[in-house]
Structure formats: structure tokens, C-alpha cells
Amino acid sequence: MNRNNDILIPEDYSGRILNGNYTAELKKRVEDLLNIYRAFEKTGNPAMPYVSAWHEEEMKIWYEFASGRFVGLMDCKISELADVLRESVKDRIIYRHPDTDASIEKKVFSSSELIAEREKLREEGRKEGIDAVYKICRNKTKSIWLKDVAAVETYKEDRISLSLGYLTIVTKEMKAEEERLEKERLHVLLEMAGAVCHELNQPMQAISGYSESLVMNINKDDPLYVKLTKIMELAQAMGNITGKLMKITRYETKDYIRGIKIIDIDKSSGQNT
Amino acid sequence: MNRNNDILIPEDYSGRILNGNYTAELKKRVEDLLNIYRAFEKTGNPAMPYVSAWHEEEMKIWYEFASGRFVGLMDCKISELADVLRESVKDRIIYRHPDTDASIEKKVFSSSELIAEREKLREEGRKEGIDAVYKICRNKTKSIWLKDVAAVETYKEDRISLSLGYLTIVTKEMKAEEERLEKERLHVLLEMAGAVCHELNQPMQAISGYSESLVMNINKDDPLYVKLTKIMELAQAMGNITGKLMKITRYETKDYIRGIKIIDIDKSSGQNT
């Protein structure tokens, strides 16, 4: 430990505040937080607490403390953590209106939007605390989702904000949502295919039956013959389409008009793949 | 503070171990955990840590420490917390296979299944730690979802297990999943309605056209007249059905056969409601 203005600085400290030109109040606060968060982590509790900091005039965030589990998850040094995290965040998901009866709005910020909206998000954090989910992709390996909950303290004289938070791995919850959506899409597709066939097969087969019997009992030279043959063929073509509906095994769409997509019945039923 | 075998017992302590007949090792551990978790909570970090305990031969869990935020959320005394929580848990969701490439299996235990499977779940927790989401409904007010992550330590001589964990409110994430499913169902329904109409409208209208022109140009006494009229009427009936498909605004199903459901086209398109 190095002593600096009565502040004990741990050997492996890689923050900035304890060594920097800041008020005794802020330094004491960071020293206390470091001691308490280290002790908390040592108990074996799986929570991943952190203390991050930023200066009002700088765009950079850095970590005064980060749980060893969090650093291990990001596979980097604690001094690189803020950069690595910023580069690895693919999406940041914020949910609005959670406490009202209005429906929850899920807002996903891509990494480029995050840069553009950084100041606004930081201002929101200062006022209301932080509550977001990050989709993180590190070194092209599997994605992980981290939920970040934090309270923000501001030290006016130092122009420093501290974020006291913790991270929770919510990969399972978020991936299960993706998989459930996938299943539900196919489920609805089959329910709709069933309904369409149920409603249309009977009249279609009746048209087929009537037109076939008419074609069989009419002379090829009869002026009605051509139109009746057309009707018979069209009814058979429709039967082929409902036949495909009954073979649907996948959810596949194709572009229709003006950005609207429709189900690709051929691909969904395993034809023309 | 009361002194008991060199253990400092906080006035508001409502656990059992510090006052009970347990080893000095366990008592010292609980005392340390209490001090560290209290200090951690006082920093203002929004994490909700807890230390729960259970005795091998008893079915009851109790709390040695619970974050004030957690107790406040459950709106009870800390001594009642385990009972209140058990009574309030509607579902316990466990995700399996999260670390393999296999798809995530989401297992929901209802409160009655939880009672039946309690021993098994407890044994799993002892081995692998705890990672679950609880759907909690307290006093018939709105549901909240809590994610519970914990490590379990066992003190053989005392026959006591300690669960060192923390809770995260994941209501927004879980409710957003419900709402997203709801939206996605309607979305798929409309994509399918679009596809069916796109494929079937053309042959259907052609049949309608041919049969109408045939009916108009044939004598009512002609033996073909009845069948042609039937074809025309059936084509019109099919047109009514695809017309309903284009007016779908809701996801509504009806029972079909053997537990299979199909879309209720009338209800979904706002007819016969």
C-alpha cells in the first residue's frame, strides 16, 4: 500500500482518483468504496459490483473498482475495461415506462447510436440512475447479455461523477426470449395454415369436383369447354397452394411491397430451397 | 450490541445462527458477512444482497441478512421474509443448458410444483449454486420478477447451509418478453394473411370471372346451369374468406381437433365478436 494524503492506495489500484488532484472528500469516498467492495467480493457473493467514474469535461469513463468476475468476463486488464466494454457493446437496451400501466417500450441502441446519444444517456443516468441491458460480443465469441444497475453520485467541486453499480449476467433470460420468439412464430404460422386450409379446402374441393364432372360430360368442341377446363386447372392450382400450407415447417418471409414482408410459402414448406 | 462468545450481535438482528448453538467458525462467518453486507448496502449500491440459511433436517429457510431494499420490496419484517417470499412466489423459472450450444430450456415451476420439488432444487443449489427468476405477486398487486443468483456454502458440523446471493429486479425484461410475443404473434399472422391472399386471390378471381360469364351466357334450363351457379357461389364464398384475412387485427384462436388450435379468422378479423 502507498500512503498519499492519509489515503491507502492498494498496489493493484488502477483508477485515477486516489492519485489525482481531487478533494479529500472524494478520495475518502473512493477509498471506502474500494475497501468495502473488495471485502464484499471476497465473501464469495456472485454479484459483480463496480465503481466507475467520469469527469464532466471528458468523454471517457474509467473504473475505480471492478469485480474480478467482471474483469474476467471481459478478459482484459481493469485499466482497459472501459475501452474493451465500449468496443464490445453491440446493443444497449433500455426499457421505458416500466412503472406505469402503459406498455413497456423496449428501446435498443446500436453501438453507433450509443456514441451519438452518449451525452443524453449520461445526463439521464445522473438524474435517474442506470438500468440497462448490454449485448456484448467479445472477440467474435458467443454474445453475453449484462444487466447494469447503478446509482450515480456527483462531486461538484471535483466535476466527477461516480457510478456505483453492479452487473448481472442475463444471457439465459435474453436468449430464451429469442428462442421463444422463434418457436412462437412457427406456432402461429401453423395455426394460421390450419385455419386457412380448414376454411378453404371444402369450397375448393367442391369447385374441383363440379368443374371436373362438367369437363368430363361436355364435348371438346363445346364453346364452354375452354373456360370449364380453366376453372378446373385453377382449382387444382389452389389445391397445390393449400397443400404447401399443410407442409410448413419453417418461418421464412419474402419482400412484398413497400417494405412489407409476407410469408414465403415455398421456402416455409421446404420447396425451392 | 450484545456480546455472545465474542460475537457482536446487532440490535436488529433477526437471524438464528449468532444466538444459536453453532460452531465458532460458522458464527464468525455470519458475523463477518453481516458487517460486510451492511457496509456494502450503506454505500448506496442498488444491488440487493442477502444471506439465507437452512438446516439440513428442517424444511424452513430463514434470512441471516437481507438488504433493506429487498425487505422493503416484500413489504414485511425481515423475520417474516422467508415465509412471505415463499407465499408470494407464483413461478420459479430455471433455464437449463445455458452454456452449451443446445437451445435453452426454460422450465417454469408453479408454486405447487416448487413444494414437491423443493428437496431436489435444494440439492441442485448446494452443488451448482442458485440461478433462477421468481415471478412474485404480493397482495394481489402487480407482479414483479426477481432474478436470484447465489453461491451455497455448507457447514457440515453445524448441518447448516448458507446461501450468499443477491437479487435483481428483472420485471421490465420479463414483461417486455410477454409484450414482444404478443406483438410478434399479430405480425406473423398478418404476414401469413398477406401471403395467402397474394397466392390465392388471382386464381380465385379468375374462377369467379369464368363462372360468372358462363352463368350469364347459359340458359337456366341447361343441365349445366346448377353446377355452374354452385361454382360461382363457392368462388364468392372463398373471396369472403380471403377478404376477412385482409382485415385481421387480432390474434384469436379456436379449438380444432385433438388439442390443436387454429386461428379463429372471424374473431381475429373483428367479425362475430
Side-chain angles (χ1 to χ4, degrees), chain A residues 37-53:
Chain A
Y37 283 29
R38 273 161 198 264
F40 178 79
E41 176 160 52
K42 266 177 79 176
T43 69
N45 192 298
M48 298 189 288
Y50 69 83
V51 180
S52 65

Side-chain angles (χ1 to χ4, degrees), chain A residues 222-240:
Chain A
D222 194 306
L224 302 184
Y225 182 82
V226 175
K227 284 185 177 170
L228 282 172
T229 310
K230 278 279 182 197
I231 289 176
M232 189 181 74
E233 287 167 0
L234 288 162
Q236 283 161 355
M238 289 172 75
N240 286 341

Side-chain angles (χ1 to χ4, degrees), chain B residues 16-256:
Chain B
R16 296 191 202 176
I17 289 170
L18 298 187
N19 293 312
N21 187 21
Y22 298 103
T23 60
E25 179 204 4
L26 176 58
K27 288 191 173 188
K28 179 74 177 71
R29 175 65 170 160
V30 170
E31 187 193 19
D32 285 347
L33 288 171
L34 250 67
N35 287 332
I36 294 166
Y37 284 29
R38 272 161 200 264
F40 178 80
E41 175 160 52
K42 266 176 80 177
T43 69
N45 192 298
M48 299 189 288
Y50 70 82
V51 179
S52 65
W54 67 92
H55 191 280
E56 233 174 71
E57 279 146 28
E58 291 175 45
M59 296 295 273
K60 259 183 115 92
I61 284 181
W62 69 90
Y63 284 84
E64 288 291 319
F65 172 85
S67 128
R69 228 175 255 109
F70 175 28
V71 179
L73 209 59
M74 299 309 298
D75 192 22
C76 66
K77 287 186 232 164
I78 179 170
S79 57
E80 304 164 340
L81 194 53
D83 286 338
V84 166
L85 189 65
R86 200 187 54 245
E87 284 161 18
S88 312
V89 169
K90 292 294 156 250
D91 293 322
R92 173 175 162 142
I93 304 165
I94 295 174
Y95 300 89
R96 296 184 198 273
H97 322 301
D99 298 323
T100 64
D101 281 328
S103 89
I104 290 173
E105 182 198 324
K106 181 174 175 178
K107 174 104 184 82
V108 179
F109 294 89
S110 66
S111 41
S112 55
E113 288 170 321
L114 276 179
I115 294 166
E117 304 250 354
R118 184 155 41 183
E119 266 313 302
K120 212 179 114 204
L121 290 170
R122 206 170 275 185
E123 188 53 36
E124 267 185 32
R126 221 176 266 136
K127 281 189 198 139
E128 296 161 36
I130 291 162
D131 189 347
V133 173
Y134 307 113
K135 180 176 181 180
I136 287 171
C137 196
R138 179 98 178 93
N139 295 335
K140 289 180 191 159
T141 54
K142 277 190 275 190
S143 295
I144 55 171
W145 277 260
L146 287 179
K147 181 168 166 74
D148 181 13
V149 184
V152 176
E153 305 178 338
T154 302
Y155 293 82
K156 284 206 173 156
E157 200 180 331
D158 296 291
R159 312 185 76 172
I160 287 282
S161 292
L162 294 183
S163 174
L164 275 54
Y166 71 104
L167 297 162
T168 305
I169 299 171
V170 290
T171 306
K172 298 188 291 288
E173 288 78 4
M174 303 303 278
K175 270 180 85 174
E177 180 182 333
E178 293 299 323
E179 292 186 4
R180 201 172 151 197
L181 275 174
E182 209 54 53
K183 276 187 200 159
E184 197 64 19
R185 283 190 194 107
L186 181 59
H187 187 70
V188 172
L189 211 53
L190 295 176
E191 287 178 341
M192 184 64 162
V196 168
C197 293
H198 173 66
E199 300 280 350
L200 293 182
N201 273 348
Q202 190 275 328
M204 227 162 54
Q205 280 160 10
I207 292 175
S208 243
Y210 287 127
S211 58
E212 276 170 37
S213 86
L214 286 169
V215 167
M216 283 204 297
N217 294 307
I218 205 172
N219 198 302
K220 281 194 181 178
D221 305 327
D222 193 306
L224 304 183
Y225 182 83
V226 175
K227 284 186 178 170
L228 282 172
T229 310
K230 277 278 180 197
I231 289 176
M232 190 182 74
E233 287 168 0
L234 287 163
Q236 283 161 355
M238 289 172 74
N240 288 341
I241 294 161
T242 58
K244 284 180 202 167
L245 293 184
M246 294 319 289
K247 286 186 201 141
I248 281 179
T249 54
R250 280 205 295 286
Y251 170 79
E252 297 274 358
T253 59
K254 62 181 180 188
D255 288 320
Y256 187 43

Side-chain angles (χ1 to χ4, degrees), chain A residues 248-262:
Chain A
I248 282 178
T249 54
R250 280 205 296 286
Y251 169 80
E252 297 274 357
T253 59
K254 62 181 181 188
D255 288 320
Y256 187 44
I257 39 162
R258 280 183 237 147
I260 293 174
K261 285 181 184 289
I262 58 174

Side-chain angles (χ1 to χ4, degrees), chain A:
Chain A
M1 299 260 184
N2 301 309
R3 187 158 285 271
N4 170 339
N5 287 339
D6 288 328
I7 297 284
L8 287 171
I9 302 178
E11 295 290 355
D12 60 347
Y13 174 66
S14 57
R16 295 193 203 176
I17 290 169
L18 297 188
N19 292 312
N21 186 21
Y22 298 103
T23 60
E25 180 204 4
L26 176 57
K27 288 190 174 190
K28 180 75 177 73
R29 175 64 169 159
V30 170
E31 187 193 18
D32 285 347
L33 289 171
L34 250 66
N35 287 331
I36 294 167
Y37 283 29
R38 273 161 198 264
F40 178 79
E41 176 160 52
K42 266 177 79 176
T43 69
N45 192 298
M48 298 189 288
Y50 69 83
V51 180
S52 65
W54 66 91
H55 190 280
E56 234 174 70
E57 279 144 27
E58 290 175 45
M59 294 298 270
K60 259 182 113 90
I61 284 181
W62 69 89
Y63 284 84
E64 289 291 319
F65 173 85
S67 127
R69 227 176 255 109
F70 174 29
V71 178
L73 208 58
M74 300 309 297
D75 193 20
C76 66
K77 287 185 234 165
I78 178 172
S79 56
E80 305 164 340
L81 193 53
D83 287 338
V84 165
L85 189 65
R86 200 187 54 245
E87 283 160 18
S88 312
V89 169
K90 292 293 155 250
D91 294 322
R92 173 175 162 142
I93 305 165
I94 295 174
Y95 301 89
R96 297 183 197 272
H97 321 302
D99 299 323
T100 64
D101 280 328
S103 90
I104 290 174
E105 183 198 323
K106 180 175 176 178
K107 174 105 184 79
V108 180
F109 293 89
S110 66
S111 41
S112 55
E113 287 170 320
L114 276 179
I115 294 166
E117 304 250 354
R118 184 155 42 184
E119 267 313 302
K120 211 180 116 203
L121 291 171
R122 203 170 277 184
E123 188 53 37
E124 265 185 35
R126 221 176 265 134
K127 281 188 196 139
E128 296 161 37
I130 291 162
D131 189 346
V133 173
Y134 307 113
K135 181 178 183 180
I136 287 171
C137 196
R138 178 99 179 92
N139 295 335
K140 289 180 190 159
T141 55
K142 278 189 277 189
S143 296
I144 55 171
W145 277 259
L146 286 178
K147 180 168 166 76
D148 181 14
V149 185
V152 176
E153 306 178 339
T154 303
Y155 293 80
K156 286 209 172 154
E157 203 180 323
D158 296 291
R159 312 185 76 172
I160 288 281
S161 291
L162 294 184
S163 174
L164 276 53
Y166 72 104
L167 297 161
T168 305
I169 299 172
V170 289
T171 306
K172 298 188 291 288
E173 289 78 4
M174 303 303 278
K175 270 180 85 174
E177 181 182 333
E178 292 298 323
E179 293 186 3
R180 200 172 153 197
L181 275 174
E182 209 54 53
K183 276 186 199 159
E184 196 65 18
R185 282 190 195 107
L186 182 60
H187 187 72
V188 171
L189 209 54
L190 295 175
E191 286 178 340
M192 184 64 161
V196 168
C197 294
H198 174 66
E199 299 280 351
L200 293 183
N201 274 347
Q202 190 276 328
M204 227 162 54
Q205 281 160 7
I207 292 175
S208 244
Y210 287 128
S211 58
E212 276 170 38
S213 87
L214 286 168
V215 167
M216 282 203 298
N217 294 308
I218 204 172
N219 198 302
K220 282 194 181 178
D221 307 324
D222 194 306
L224 302 184
Y225 182 82
V226 175
K227 284 185 177 170
L228 282 172
T229 310
K230 278 279 182 197
I231 289 176
M232 189 181 74
E233 287 167 0
L234 288 162
Q236 283 161 355
M238 289 172 75
N240 286 341
I241 294 162
T242 57
K244 285 180 201 165
L245 294 183
M246 294 318 289
K247 286 186 199 139
I248 282 178
T249 54
R250 280 205 296 286
Y251 169 80
E252 297 274 357
T253 59
K254 62 181 181 188
D255 288 320
Y256 187 44
I257 39 162
R258 280 183 237 147
I260 293 174
K261 285 181 184 289
I262 58 174
I263 299 299
D264 187 323
I265 293 174
D266 282 330
K267 282 194 183 163
S268 294
S269 64
Q271 321 249 326
N272 286 355
T273 49

